Amino acid sequence: MPFGHDMVHSLGTVVSLVNTSPATSAGEELLDLDELRALVDAREISGIGELTQRDLDQARRVRDAFHEIFSATDRADAIRLLNALLEGTRITPRLAEHDGHPVHVHYFAPGAALAEHLAADCGVALAHLLVEDEWERLRTCSAPDCERVFVDESRNRSRVYCDSRTCGNRMHVAAYRARRRA
């Protein structure tokens, strides 16, 4: 996918956020403010100060909205869901250069809460994916016991597992053993 650093980063952030959901993992992975701070730090989300319980509640709601977009049955549904999410943001594009990253675009308004920051930056990244007619790159892992989401960045859109080292390897080993038994 020929996308810039900011879009790739935002797509990775939305995947990380969605995969904290009980719908995609063994349980809630955003249990408290410490876990939310860990996500903010791991994804290098800039401009976020002190986090509150309200930030946690709002981040979970935004996460659930993004999960619905990943689960959309078709492009039109994904567009409708994304537009509904973006309507709640104050999108203010501006160029930024920080933390050793090249110049890139931030879409959140200065001083925005974490949830609005995520909705704006990650929502715009998903919007670009939809505009480029690449919405089918939003995937759910094909392993039978995994519901994690990912963005298929492969050139030929052939990725089917959230992680080739875990789910992919497990499924390939299982298929190999089944063939050996047959």
Side-chain angles (χ1 to χ4, degrees):
M1 285 187 324
F3 301 124
H5 154 71
D6 51 340
M7 184 167 170
V8 171
H9 184 266
S10 292
L11 291 172
T13 299
V14 73
V15 165
S16 294
L17 178 64
V18 171
N19 285 333
T20 66
S21 170
T24 61
S25 61
E28 177 64 64
E29 293 184 13
L30 279 182
L31 288 171
D32 56 30
L33 294 175
D34 290 337
E35 290 179 353
L36 183 59
R37 174 53 67 187
L39 176 72
V40 167
D41 292 345
R43 294 305 309 163
E44 297 179 342
I45 301 172
S46 62
I48 303 299
E50 189 70 28
L51 295 169
T52 66
Q53 184 62 41
R54 183 173 186 223
D55 290 314
L56 179 61
D57 296 339
Q58 290 175 342
R60 287 177 181 159
R61 281 195 291 279
V62 167
R63 173 193 67 190
D64 295 343
F66 280 131
H67 186 252
E68 284 186 66
I69 294 164
F70 270 84
S71 303
T73 55
D74 58 33
R75 184 173 181 259
D77 192 35
I79 290 170
R80 180 186 59 76
L81 292 166
L82 184 55
N83 278 337
L85 177 66
L86 290 173
E87 285 173 8
T89 66
R90 297 170 293 149
I91 294 180
T92 309
R94 61 187 163 68
L95 297 175
E97 187 174 23
H98 57 85
D99 300 324
H101 298 295
V103 173
H104 55 281
V105 181
H106 282 291
Y107 294 96
F108 59 93
L114 174 62
E116 187 174 7
H117 179 134
L118 291 167
D121 269 7
C122 297
V124 168
L126 290 176
H128 282 288
L129 209 61
L130 289 164
V131 166
E132 295 295 325
D133 203 23
E134 299 281 357
W135 80 275
E136 292 157 333
R137 290 184 182 272
L138 304 179
R139 305 255 174 96
T140 300
C141 186
S142 292
D145 58 343
C146 184
E147 295 294 323
R148 295 177 68 83
V149 301
F150 63 96
V151 176
D152 180 3
E153 295 180 47
S154 67
R155 188 175 294 169
N156 62 358
R157 298 176 183 88
S158 62
R159 187 172 158 200
V160 294
Y161 301 116
C162 64
D163 184 4
S164 61
R165 291 173 302 231
T166 55
C167 289
N169 192 41
R170 231 177 350 98
M171 297 309 297
H172 289 115
V173 168
Y176 170 78
R177 289 181 179 157
R179 285 192 306 272
R180 297 280 296 180
R181 283 190 294 257

